[in-house]
């Protein structure tokens, strides 16, 4: 649900309309949480959540595994995640060992999982298959940036088989606009919500966890 009037300026604006009948913002916020209702901050958030909830399960926790072929977006995703209550999942020793068996030696050996700039579709698919089994991970974000040796559409096709992981949402961020649009469409059509930027995906994941928490309270 979305409701205006959080700020003093918005509350003043609402006072001259029927919005003045809606009551205290703090009281309503508490009531929403008790009722298991998720409150979002913008219209775009409202539609994004409607989309993701129609495609992916809610996470059982706030620990996110991030796969990326570029370090910068992985760091920005980490900031966005942590800024709103999410946690970068700590990979189990077995997961690290198994990833080392399918990725180049220079991979990050931690989360975010940097599969490096020359990552192939197989690198992406193998990595997601491995981390999907890690009990320390509650959800997954796969980031792709345009690289000379990375085929965005091929990578997307390879990931579609993991669109439905039991109890763990899978989100994607295909960065690059028109150059990656066909791959983003493949993911969306398969039920993997895909975002232009990783911070948007992290915001959605945090909302999903908040909704799960409210529902359980």
């Amino acid at each position: 649900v979305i409701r205006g009037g959080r700020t003093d300026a918005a509350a003043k604006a609402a006072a001259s309309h029927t919005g003045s009948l809606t009551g205290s913002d703090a009281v309503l916020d508490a009531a929403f949480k008790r009722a298991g209702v998720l409150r979002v901050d913008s219209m775009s958030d409202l539609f994004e959540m409607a989309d993701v909830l129609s495609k992916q399960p809610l996470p059982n926790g706030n620990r996110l595994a991030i796969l990326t072929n570029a370090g910068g977006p992985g760091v920005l995703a980490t900031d966005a995640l942590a800024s709103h209550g999410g946690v970068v999942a700590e990979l189990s020793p077995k997961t690290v060992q198994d990833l080392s068996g399918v990725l180049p030696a220079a991979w990050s050996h931690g989360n975010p999982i940097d599969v490096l700039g020359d990552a192939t579709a197989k690198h992406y698919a193998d990595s997601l298959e491995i981390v999907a089994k890690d009990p320390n991970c509650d959800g997954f974000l796969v980031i792709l940036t345009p690289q000379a040796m990375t085929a965005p559409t091929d990578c997307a096709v390879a990931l579609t088989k993991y669109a439905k992981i039991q109890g763990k949402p899978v989100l994607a961020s295909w960065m690059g606009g028109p150059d990656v649009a066909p791959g983003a469409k493949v993911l969306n059509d398969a039920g993997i919500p895909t975002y232009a930027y990783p911070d948007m995906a992290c915001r959605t994941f945090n909302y999903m966890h908040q909704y799960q928490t409210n529902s359980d309270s």
Side-chain angles (χ1 to χ4, degrees):
V1 67
I2 184 170
R3 176 190 180 272
R6 282 184 183 270
T7 65
D8 290 343
K12 183 178 180 180
S16 60
H17 302 282
T18 54
S20 62
L21 304 176
T22 57
S24 164
D25 186 76
V27 171
L28 281 172
D29 208 24
F32 288 152
K33 290 180 180 178
R34 289 194 62 182
V37 174
L38 173 68
R39 182 177 184 178
V40 297
D41 293 330
S42 67
M43 290 296 294
S44 61
D45 288 340
L46 188 67
F47 287 107
E48 290 289 356
M49 286 305 299
D51 178 61
V52 75
L53 292 177
S54 71
K55 295 176 178 177
Q56 291 292 321
L58 293 173
N60 291 316
N62 64 345
R63 302 168 299 178
L64 184 68
I66 302 169
L67 283 73
T68 178
N69 67 339
V75 173
L76 293 175
T78 300
D79 279 341
L81 181 69
S83 296
H84 296 89
V87 174
V88 175
E90 183 175 349
L91 304 178
S92 71
K94 184 179 188 310
T95 295
V96 173
Q97 180 180 358
D98 289 348
L99 286 171
S100 294
V102 300
L103 293 175
W107 80 280
S108 59
H109 291 79
N111 187 22
I113 301 162
D114 189 344
V115 297
L116 305 179
D118 59 353
T120 64
K122 188 174 185 342
H123 286 140
Y124 268 104
D126 288 349
S127 298
L128 183 55
E129 182 173 353
I130 289 168
V131 296
K133 301 172 184 176
D134 193 326
N136 295 337
C137 301
D138 300 310
F140 312 98
L141 169 60
V142 184
I143 302 170
L144 181 142
T145 64
Q147 305 278 351
M149 298 181 66
T150 298
T153 303
D154 290 347
C155 290
V157 170
L159 294 176
T160 56
K161 63 188 292 188
Y162 306 106
K164 302 297 181 184
I165 299 176
Q166 185 66 34
K168 297 183 178 184
V170 181
L171 309 177
S173 175
W174 251 226
M175 303 176 67
D179 291 339
V180 302
K185 184 178 186 305
V186 167
L187 291 168
N188 278 312
D189 288 347
I192 299 177
T194 306
Y195 304 86
Y197 304 106
D199 57 320
M200 298 166 64
C202 288
R203 181 182 181 87
T204 298
F205 176 78
N206 283 332
Y207 270 138
M208 294 174 78
H209 172 248
Q210 182 183 338
Y211 186 30
Q212 178 66 57
T213 301
N214 289 357
S215 299
D216 289 343
S217 63

